């Protein structure tokens, strides 16, 4: 199964690799290689997916860029309130980022900044299936369910970063922020409960979202002559509001519509080992590991669900 998953992701990996030679001449010529990232990411699911950002400089002060990433997670658990139950959840998060234009300049010898505008498009595909034992009145039976939700989040972002240090310094650090003032969320859902509900529950909606944001800190240190050590930390708040079809608790044989209002909070902490062997355009081989924790806070009922996964990366990068 893991081999099949890797093969299914080959088009995304090949496309990302093919973009590297197209972008590296522009990167080398304009000295913005510290913004270049190309990683292949492998998690517990066995999938290998690309995570990349390719900057393109127009002048000393102006640049654009293209980013793409994909992460897949698989969890297995029981259902709250049902001891005799099982649920398996597979979530794929694809993100495409188009940096239209950004301006960068120096404040002084050690400090520089950039400001720009992005278009961000995220696709979240969530598939759940399992069973639970339902005991209610005259009903005492096992219920199998299959729930598939496709969520598309899109909107324009304001981004900026502050960089401390120069390439020749022992330490180099960059604090980045992305502010999403108004995203739009489109959702498509199909749910079945067998054998208690004869029809399929469906839902489709388009909803404006509250303000979201993301913070990230990247750093690197010249600890060894042939290898740098990089540390990274990230925090993202993604509000999600949409309508879904759920099992009617009054009848238990039909669907009703409910509003989902959650905050998805993602934290990420990792370490990278950057080898001082230059490939092309001031780019270096890198391997790394990071932990990604996702907490889903229900804004209506007040409960929180969380999951944590460890991922391994290898690829090429600039200074970070």
């Amino acid at each position: 199964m893991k081999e099949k998953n890797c093969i299914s992701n080959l088009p995304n990996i090949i496309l990302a690799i093919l973009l590297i030679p197209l972008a590296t001449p522009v990167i080398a010529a304009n000295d913005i290689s510290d913004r270049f990232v190309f990683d292949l990411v492998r998690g517990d699911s066995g999938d290998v997916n690309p995570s990349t950002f390719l900057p393109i400089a127009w002048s000393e002060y102006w640049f654009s860029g293209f980013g793409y990433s994909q992460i897949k997670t698989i969890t297995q658990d029981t259902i709250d309130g049902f001891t005799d139950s099982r649920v398996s959840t597979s979530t794929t998060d694809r993100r495409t980022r188009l940096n239209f234009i950004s301006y960068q300049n120096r404040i002084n010898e050690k400090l520089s900044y950039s400001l720009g505008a992005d278009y961000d498009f995220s696709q979240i595909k969530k598939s759940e299936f399992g069973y639970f034992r339902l005991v209610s009145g005259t009903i005492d039976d096992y219920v199998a369910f299959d729930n598939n939700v496709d969520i598309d989040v899109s909107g324009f972002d304001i981004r900026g970063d502050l960089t401390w240090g120069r390439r020749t310094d022992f330490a180099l650090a960059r604090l980045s922020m992305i502010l999403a003032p108004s995203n739009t969320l489109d959702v498509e859902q199909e749910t079945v409960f067998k054998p208690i509900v004869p029809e399929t529950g469906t839902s489709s909606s388009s909803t404006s979202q509250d303000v979201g944001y993301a913070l990230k800190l990247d750093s690197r240190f010249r600890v060894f002559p042939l290898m740098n050590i990089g540390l990274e930390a990230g925090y993202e708040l993604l509000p999600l509001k949409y309508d879904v079809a759920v099992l009617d608790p009054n009848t238990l044989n039909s669907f009703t519509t409910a509003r989902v209002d959650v905050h998805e909070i993602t934290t990420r902490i990792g370490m990278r080992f950057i080898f001082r062997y230059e490939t092309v355009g001031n780019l270096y081989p890198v391997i790394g590991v990071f932990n990604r924790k996702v907490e889903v806070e229900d804004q209506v009922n007040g409960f929180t669900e969380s999951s944590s996964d460890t991922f391994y990366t290898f690829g090429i990068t600039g200074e970070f």
Side-chain angles (χ1 to χ4, degrees):
M1 181 62 71
K2 290 183 179 180
E3 182 180 355
K4 183 177 180 181
N5 288 338
C6 292
I7 293 175
S8 66
N9 290 313
L10 276 178
N12 290 333
I13 297 172
I14 293 172
L15 177 61
I17 292 174
L18 290 176
L19 288 173
I20 294 174
L22 298 178
T24 42
V26 181
I27 294 170
N30 293 278
D31 196 30
I32 56 170
S33 61
D34 59 337
R35 299 184 181 276
F36 179 91
V37 176
F38 176 80
D39 285 334
L40 295 177
V41 184
R42 187 182 189 276
D44 294 335
S45 68
D47 284 37
V48 177
N49 295 293
S51 176
T52 183
F53 181 73
L54 307 178
I56 301 174
W58 305 113
S59 69
E60 180 182 357
Y61 301 106
W62 298 94
F63 70 90
S64 300
F66 173 80
Y68 176 82
S69 66
Q70 176 173 299
I71 285 183
K72 183 175 182 179
T73 57
I74 298 176
T75 60
Q76 293 184 349
D77 205 348
T78 58
I79 303 173
D80 291 340
F82 297 90
T83 55
D84 194 356
S85 64
R86 199 69 176 170
V87 58
S88 177
T89 304
S90 173
T91 304
T92 302
D93 189 344
R94 299 187 184 96
R95 299 196 173 189
T96 303
R97 171 189 167 198
L98 177 60
N99 176 219
F100 288 116
I101 194 69
S102 289
Y103 175 80
Q104 63 178 1
N105 206 342
R106 285 202 164 272
I107 299 175
N108 54 44
E109 184 179 344
K110 289 284 188 179
L111 197 61
S112 62
Y113 71 93
S114 77
L115 291 171
D118 294 353
Y119 177 77
D120 199 297
F121 177 64
S122 299
Q123 295 176 293
I124 304 171
K125 293 185 178 292
K126 187 174 183 179
S127 176
E128 297 177 307
F129 67 91
Y131 70 88
F132 60 92
R133 184 181 180 184
L134 179 61
V135 180
S136 178
T138 59
I139 301 176
D140 185 354
D141 200 357
Y142 282 92
V143 178
F145 63 90
D146 192 351
N147 181 40
N148 295 284
V149 182
D150 292 344
I151 298 173
D152 293 342
V153 185
S154 58
F156 293 95
D157 302 335
I158 302 170
R159 60 160 304 278
D161 56 56
L162 209 60
T163 304
W164 182 86
R166 304 182 72 99
R167 295 175 185 271
T168 55
D169 293 343
F170 167 77
L172 186 66
R174 172 172 291 151
L175 178 63
S176 307
M177 180 176 183
I178 296 177
L179 181 66
S182 181
N183 282 334
T184 299
L185 187 150
D186 298 311
V187 64
E188 297 286 343
Q189 177 219 6
E190 286 189 355
T191 304
V192 294
F193 286 94
K194 298 295 183 181
I196 59 175
V197 185
E199 73 270 10
T200 299
T202 60
S203 178
S204 177
S205 63
S206 180
T207 311
S208 295
Q209 304 298 298
D210 295 332
V211 176
Y213 64 90
L215 296 170
K216 188 179 181 184
L217 177 64
D218 292 297
S219 62
R220 74 103 176 101
F221 304 90
R222 294 184 181 272
V223 180
F224 305 106
L226 299 179
M227 183 179 70
N228 297 338
I229 292 181
L231 302 177
E232 60 172 324
Y235 179 91
E236 181 187 39
L237 171 66
L238 181 63
L240 299 173
K241 289 183 180 180
Y242 56 94
D243 296 327
V244 293
V246 298
L247 185 64
D248 192 329
N250 298 316
T251 64
L252 297 178
N253 61 6
S254 62
F255 289 96
T256 186
T257 301
R259 167 58 61 97
V260 173
D261 185 358
V262 300
H263 285 176
E264 184 178 279
I265 299 173
T266 303
T267 55
R268 170 171 167 162
I269 297 177
M271 177 178 290
R272 294 162 68 81
F273 301 94
I274 306 166
F275 300 94
R276 301 299 299 177
Y277 176 79
E278 185 174 337
T279 56
V280 290
N282 295 322
L283 302 178
Y284 307 95
V286 59
I287 60 174
V289 59
F290 68 89
N291 178 267
R292 179 176 179 263
K293 182 179 180 181
V294 180
E295 293 182 302
V296 180
E297 297 181 350
D298 192 311
Q299 302 302 295
V300 178
N301 300 314
F303 65 84
T304 300
E305 295 180 351
S306 64
S307 62
S308 180
D309 297 273
T310 299
F311 298 86
Y312 301 92
T313 66
F314 57 96
I316 55 176
T317 189
E319 289 297 322
F320 296 103

